Amino acid sequence: MAADAAALTALEARERLRAGTLTAGGYADALLARIGRSEPAVQAWAALDAAHVRTQAAALDALPPEARGAPLFGLPVGLKDIVDTADLPTENGTVLHTGRQPRRDAVLVQRLRAAGAVVMGKTVTTELATYAPGKTRNPHDTAHTPGGSSSGSAAAVAAGHVPLAVGTQTNGSVIRPASFCGVVGVKPTFGRIARTGVLVQSPNFDHVGVFARSVPDAALLAQVLAGADAGDPATALRATPPLLDACLQPPPAPPRLGWFPGPFRDRVAADARAAFERLRERLAPHLVAFELPADAHAVVADHRLVMEAEIAGSFDAEYERGREHLSASLRGQIERGRQTSAVAHRQALARLAAYADALDAALAQVDAVLTPAALGTAPAGLASTGDPLMCTLWTAAGTPAVSLPLLAGADGLPLGVQLVAARDDDARLLRTARWLMDTLRPGGVAPVDPAAAAA
């Protein structure tokens, strides 16, 4: 039963939990056993207290039967270690925050608990959610990076430690690790999930995203987390779209997918280009030509200018009191950001806003655009988390994006297919993503067990 339970998707586990054929405590124990076996190889967790996990699960099992109807009843969720939790430390991936203990939960954690979730623990992040890697390894091959900055969240889902996890993306920090680790990653429309109580890096680009092993699982978690909060000015009071219900519906007509090899095609690895060419041939009846707005080539530079200026402001205190403890990469970003004028920052934001509007108009002609999620499979070594270039055009515009584990590179490692839609078109995007997964990979995504492979 333990091995069986650990392999369940979130929706499969929820069905058993609601039926009473699986207890929250039994499910937590199955996942903890799996963590105990493979965590020494994967190192996905920054903070995990098994006794606390079991206490949460026991409290849920003690509730009356009607409580089992909560959307996430008994489902363990991993949280990137930049999300505040009142019952676990949040150290933001830097020694400067060692021992940091928030007094209150982030808004998204409040929503998780209200929905009946078990907070499994805090997953490893890169340094202050930027580029310097943490300790996490790729479960498919521990000699390779899992990506970043949501390294531990993607790896924990891939390894079957949890069915669901939360990450963030300011450039490519959900989509890229999802691609490298072979799981589903969803970055919703900017402002869809409140960031109150989440580390502030770049307020104009910070998104909360989710990881799962199926598209419906990701839709379930995103729907629970979505909603406005007064503490996050990027959010707005609006109805939450029925992401899960929409995701589970068949498309009313054959989806139209914009084929977009991208302006960075020459940077994409040869085996990845070959894999996408085979995908193009298979999906030919659904593909239509797609072109970016004319000013798209300037987006990467404008995104970097704004992001680094805002990083300099967000991490000024860390730089002033402990710059010697920051990576050379982060010091460089802060120092470049400090040289950016307010005029340059505002001009770049204005150009990006115009680009986002033009991109929405182009995306309105298709159900989704199809493009690589990364330049290739996870690079060997652990000194870098890989290049986020294939995500920048979409993150800068705030459009929703999904990475689907549909392809593999010449080295056998996962290669994600990225789908992108217009802002606020999250529900249709998830429906299209589920259709594509069911069409090309009907068996879904099984968890990886590096400990078993090594044995």
Side-chain angles (χ1 to χ4, degrees), residues 109-360:
V109 180
Q110 295 171 22
R111 291 174 179 166
L112 287 174
R113 297 194 202 275
V118 172
V119 174
M120 195 71 162
K122 311 304 285 292
T123 56
V124 171
T125 176
T126 60
E127 176 195 35
L128 292 167
T130 56
Y131 296 125
K135 63 181 180 178
T136 306
R137 274 76 170 144
N138 192 314
H140 291 267
D141 185 335
T142 55
H144 289 247
T145 179
S149 59
S150 304
S151 316
S153 291
V157 171
H161 294 179
V162 282
L164 303 167
V166 174
T168 63
Q169 176 160 314
T170 306
N171 193 351
S173 296
V174 168
I175 298 300
R176 184 169 85 263
S179 177
F180 289 171
C181 291
V183 297
V184 174
V186 175
K187 180 198 79 65
T189 295
F190 180 73
R192 177 68 66 190
I193 299 174
R195 303 164 298 176
T196 312
V198 179
L199 178 72
V200 176
Q201 184 190 116
S202 177
N204 278 291
F205 301 135
D206 293 343
H207 298 65
V208 173
V210 301
F211 297 92
R213 295 200 314 275
S214 79
V215 177
D217 283 1
L220 168 67
L221 181 55
Q223 182 169 304
V224 167
L225 298 182
D229 179 72
D232 184 352
T235 63
L237 287 172
R238 53 186 173 180
T240 299
L243 299 179
L244 179 58
D245 286 348
C247 172
L248 294 174
Q249 296 300 313
R256 287 165 49 88
L257 301 175
W259 177 252
F260 176 65
F264 316 116
R265 180 175 172 78
D266 60 331
R267 298 276 304 277
V268 177
D271 61 333
R273 292 200 303 269
F276 268 84
E277 180 59 26
R278 293 191 294 272
L279 180 67
R280 185 190 68 78
E281 294 170 357
R282 186 166 181 183
L283 293 175
H286 299 279
L287 299 182
V288 297
F290 177 82
E291 292 187 8
L292 282 171
D295 54 354
H297 289 272
V299 169
V300 173
D302 280 339
H303 173 271
R304 176 174 170 171
L305 182 150
V306 172
M307 183 178 70
E308 291 188 341
E310 294 181 354
I311 283 173
S314 296
F315 303 144
D316 179 67
E318 287 77 10
Y319 183 81
E320 288 297 330
R321 70 182 178 87
R323 72 190 71 178
E324 68 277 11
H325 296 293
L326 301 177
S327 67
S329 167
L330 182 50
R331 288 198 305 271
Q333 291 177 80
I334 292 171
E335 287 161 4
R336 288 191 297 272
R338 285 182 160 205
Q339 300 305 310
T340 301
S341 71
V343 170
H345 181 262
R346 292 187 66 173
Q347 288 174 338
L349 282 175
R351 289 191 296 270
L352 290 172
Y355 160 75
D357 288 341
L359 181 60
D360 276 345

Side-chain angles (χ1 to χ4, degrees), residues 82-102:
I82 66 168
V83 178
D84 282 354
T85 44
D87 54 349
L88 289 166
T90 304
E91 297 181 335
N92 299 318
T94 174
V95 295
L96 294 174
H97 293 182
T98 299
R100 178 179 175 271
Q101 178 58 64

Side-chain angles (χ1 to χ4, degrees), residues 330-427:
L330 182 50
R331 288 198 305 271
Q333 291 177 80
I334 292 171
E335 287 161 4
R336 288 191 297 272
R338 285 182 160 205
Q339 300 305 310
T340 301
S341 71
V343 170
H345 181 262
R346 292 187 66 173
Q347 288 174 338
L349 282 175
R351 289 191 296 270
L352 290 172
Y355 160 75
D357 288 341
L359 181 60
D360 276 345
L363 289 167
Q365 308 307 310
V366 295
D367 290 283
V369 163
L370 189 151
T371 182
L375 294 176
T377 59
L382 302 171
S384 166
T385 60
D387 193 324
L389 182 63
M390 298 307 293
C391 304
T392 306
L393 296 178
W394 324 114
T395 305
T399 59
V402 179
S403 179
L404 302 177
L406 290 172
L407 303 177
D411 55 8
L413 293 177
L415 182 66
V417 172
Q418 184 172 205
L419 295 181
V420 182
R423 284 176 293 185
D424 297 321
D425 208 4
D426 302 63

